[in-house]
Amino acid sequence: MKTIRVQDAPAAAWGNVVGIPPHMTDFVARIERQAQMNPLAYRRRVAIAGLLGYVVIGGLVLIALGLAAACVGLIIYAPQAVGFEIKLLFVFGMLAVGIVRALWVREEPPEGHAVHPAQTPALFALVEEVRGTTGGPVVHEIRIIDRLNAAIVQSPRCFGLGNRNTLFIGAPLLQATQVDECRAIIAHEMGHFIGAHGRSAGFVYRVRRRWSQIAERLSDGVFARLLKRFFDWYGPWFASYSFVLARQQEYEADRIAASAEGKEVAARALLRVTCQHARHEQVWRAVWEQAHLRADPPTSPTAISGCAMEGPDDQDQVAIDRELESLPGLGDTHPGLASRLAALGVEPFVPRPLAGGSAFDLLGEARVAIAKMLDDDWHAGCAAHWAERFRERQDAISERAALSDSLARGEIADDGRFRLAELIEQIDGPIAGATAFHDVAKVVADPDPALSRQGIALLDAGQDAGLPLLEHAAERFPGVADRLYDHIIAYLEGAGRREEASRYRALLRQAQDISEQRRIEAEGIDEAVELRPLTDDVHAAAVASVVGVDGVRRLYVALRHLPVAGTDQLICVVQPGSGRSGQEVVGDVLARLAQVCDVLCIQASRDRRWLVRRLEAVEGSRLV
């Protein structure tokens, strides 16, 4: 049976060597078993998998060079069509040069601010001490960044003579940890570069980087299409092999950190970072909420972040419990917290509050200057966005005033009432929003959407009265049930009510399964589909929506029913004309028709001719 699948991912993303499609879960599990049984053989397979990509790319380069050489031979020995032969030589030569250039990895300027031993002697002494304990690599440079993270990055020196190692360590991470925890984190990062571990990690990184660059720089053409067809198989395959390696290396780096600082300290560092990540995110949410209230951003967000890391917090246990229960997906090369603690042989616990200062003190007298540089960077980067958010709030206040006047005069429709309630919640907070949505539900024809928004607002305000409203909404609107159950679970876990939250997890899984079924149903079509003509009102709206779209040669539209979703969907096939790319034309048509109804928009091609014939048989389907 002929089938057409439409993916959400844009075509330009084909060079991604990190994401693993869900259908390869069993394959990844099989690789993990192989890696445990024979680690050496598994590492050889990873190397072979990476080299295979280079072989295919190199083969295309040789083909292009061979064709260029053949053109040179024709120019010399058969010059009758020398003009055409020179054009071919240029084309094949440029293809070869383009692939080689795409393979060349450009080193981007490093982020953050470099510090020197004279500025921060305590930090450099600590790093050198950890290096001596672990046998890790020499650190040539330390740069302070504005993220709660740390990493060691190797970059090749001139002519590839050795590597230059740079330690990137975040000021928020230093603020968030004790000195011994910071040592354990640096030991973990050094663990990635001990022995063959570092070489394999660097090799995998370079393979991923080069494929990403090839996809970016060779976005079109014959060779690009050949590479993409190969990559459709190779990308997920190599990602699966390198994924297992990355997980193994995280465990190995944890063991190195534990041998250097003790397993209790290594575990405490993992748990501390888990707690502090939650605090850090909460602080930055609070900072950005001020953009609605003031035209100028806070002077020193670095200091604000540091203060949030100190002292006890009841939410630390919640953050740890949530992380312990979460299972990392195939897009995350770090194992889950529970697995990492189990590998260390340590039971989870809540670290005591920071006492006697943090690792930020390692910066010594340079702390103030570094904090100011990071604050200046943030102000420079956020100024335009901050101003935009402040302007949006002022516009929202003006819009609310206008809608309130319309309501007072009795000149407001149902959608205007709903919009007014949204603005009240946005400006005055969840309590006011819950009241506003309750008032809307009493007067509109369909109260359920307003009641669901009332439920969300009540939970945001910390009131259990929102729970039954969201349960009802989840039953009424299965298409968004997973998001509603997510909201309920987050609310209950935030209140420390984990047993109640677990009851909704089963409902969430069911909703996610249905949501996935709806997505698959809406993104594909096969020969068994039943198509019917557009109703008069939908036909008129569809025709009006596509007026003025350039580059459409033919456009067919019909309706089909989606059994899982219980709704109708427009099936649209576009045959582009000349002057514009097919992707651009399809994108424009999709954007226009999506305002009328849910739509599956497909570009006509030879292998999709069966669908065009089916649409041609539907009365009134040809709009253009």
Side-chain angles (χ1 to χ4, degrees), residues 128-146:
E128 187 61 25
E129 178 187 342
V130 173
R131 189 181 78 84
T133 305
T134 61
V138 174
V139 173
H140 301 97
E141 183 181 36
I142 299 177
R143 301 186 71 90
I144 307 299
I145 57 178
D146 64 351

Side-chain angles (χ1 to χ4, degrees), residues 163-504:
N163 291 312
R164 178 176 176 81
N165 302 316
T166 302
L167 169 64
F168 294 88
I169 189 162
L173 182 68
L174 294 172
Q175 292 172 323
T177 56
Q178 294 180 347
V179 172
D180 58 348
E181 295 163 355
C182 182
R183 272 201 304 264
I185 291 168
I186 294 173
H188 173 97
E189 297 304 325
M190 286 190 173
H192 284 302
F193 294 91
I194 295 175
H197 193 162
R199 290 192 295 276
S200 59
F203 173 72
V204 168
Y205 170 77
R206 286 189 292 274
V207 171
R208 291 174 173 175
R209 182 97 172 265
R210 284 186 169 89
W211 273 103
S212 178
Q213 288 188 172
I214 289 169
E216 177 185 345
R217 299 173 188 175
L218 294 179
S219 58
D220 199 7
V222 176
F223 279 14
R225 287 194 288 273
L226 289 173
L227 284 170
K228 184 181 183 304
R229 291 179 72 88
F230 167 72
F231 190 84
D232 288 341
W233 165 80
Y234 173 77
W237 183 71
F238 178 74
S240 300
Y241 267 98
S242 58
F243 171 84
V244 174
L245 178 65
R247 283 275 176 96
Q248 283 187 336
Q249 290 176 342
E250 289 300 326
Y251 287 122
E252 291 174 17
D254 281 346
R255 285 195 291 271
I256 290 170
S259 65
E261 299 297 326
K263 64 179 184 179
E264 294 291 338
V265 176
R268 176 159 36 93
L270 291 172
L271 292 160
R272 177 83 68 190
V273 169
T274 298
C275 300
Q276 301 291 42
H277 259 298
R279 296 193 191 194
H280 188 63
E281 291 176 359
Q282 184 179 6
V283 166
W284 280 101
R285 280 196 300 269
V287 166
W288 277 101
E289 284 172 2
Q290 296 181 50
H292 300 309
L293 308 174
R294 51 186 287 181
D296 58 320
T299 304
S300 182
T302 300
I304 296 173
S305 174
C307 292
M309 305 296 182
E310 302 172 357
D313 190 329
D314 294 339
Q315 294 301 307
D316 285 351
Q317 182 69 64
V318 174
I320 290 174
D321 290 342
R322 184 180 297 120
E323 193 66 23
L324 288 171
E325 292 176 358
S326 68
L327 297 176
L330 294 178
D332 188 355
T333 55
H334 284 73
L337 178 62
S339 300
R340 296 176 75 175
L341 292 176
L344 291 171
V346 178
E347 293 293 324
F349 61 92
V350 178
R352 293 182 179 179
L354 293 178
S358 68
F360 197 61
D361 294 336
L362 292 168
L363 299 178
E365 296 180 358
R367 285 177 301 175
V368 176
I370 290 171
K372 185 179 186 308
M373 286 189 290
L374 295 173
D375 289 337
D376 290 345
D377 290 344
W378 180 74
H379 281 96
C382 82
H385 187 46
W386 189 280
E388 181 184 357
R389 293 187 66 167
F390 181 74
R391 184 170 57 253
E392 288 174 353
R393 174 53 62 90
Q394 302 310 304
D395 292 344
I397 291 172
S398 299
E399 185 183 359
R400 181 182 68 171
L403 288 171
S404 296
D405 290 342
S406 298
L407 179 64
R409 296 193 302 270
E411 301 172 354
I412 191 169
D414 286 356
D415 58 346
R417 293 177 184 274
F418 200 90
R419 175 60 178 162
L420 177 57
E422 287 181 327
L423 292 168
I424 290 172
E425 180 184 23
Q426 179 182 329
I427 296 167
D428 297 333
I431 293 292
T435 302
F437 282 115
H438 175 71
D439 293 341
V440 171
K442 290 190 296 186
V443 296
V444 297
D446 182 8
D448 284 334
L451 291 175
S452 67
R453 289 297 301 271
Q454 180 191 359
I456 291 173
L458 287 170
L459 292 193
D460 289 343
Q463 297 186 11
D464 280 9
L467 292 173
L469 294 175
L470 290 193
E471 287 190 60
H472 173 75
E475 296 174 2
R476 177 78 168 77
F477 306 110
V480 296
D482 52 345
R483 293 199 292 272
L484 297 176
Y485 287 130
D486 258 336
H487 211 97
I488 292 173
I489 292 169
Y491 168 73
L492 293 174
E493 287 185 341
R497 296 154 63 178
R498 295 176 57 200
E499 290 187 8
E500 290 180 68
S502 64
R503 182 173 72 85
Y504 289 96

Side-chain angles (χ1 to χ4, degrees), residues 7-14 219-220 228 549-551 574-577 580-591 601-604:
Q7 301 295 330
D8 288 335
W14 67 265
S219 58
D220 199 7
K228 184 181 183 304
V549 177
D550 294 330
V574 182
Q575 183 175 354
R580 299 183 68 198
S581 73
Q583 187 175 355
E584 290 177 338
V585 175
V586 170
D588 282 354
V589 172
L590 174 62
C601 198
I602 299 167
Q603 182 176 344

Side-chain angles (χ1 to χ4, degrees), residues 500-527:
E500 290 180 68
S502 64
R503 182 173 72 85
Y504 289 96
R505 288 195 178 279
L507 296 173
L508 173 61
R509 285 192 291 271
Q510 293 175 9
Q512 288 172 334
D513 290 342
I514 294 174
S515 179
E516 179 65 11
Q517 292 172 23
R518 289 165 63 101
R519 184 190 67 79
I520 293 172
E521 178 185 58
E523 291 179 358
I525 188 169
D526 57 40
E527 289 181 298

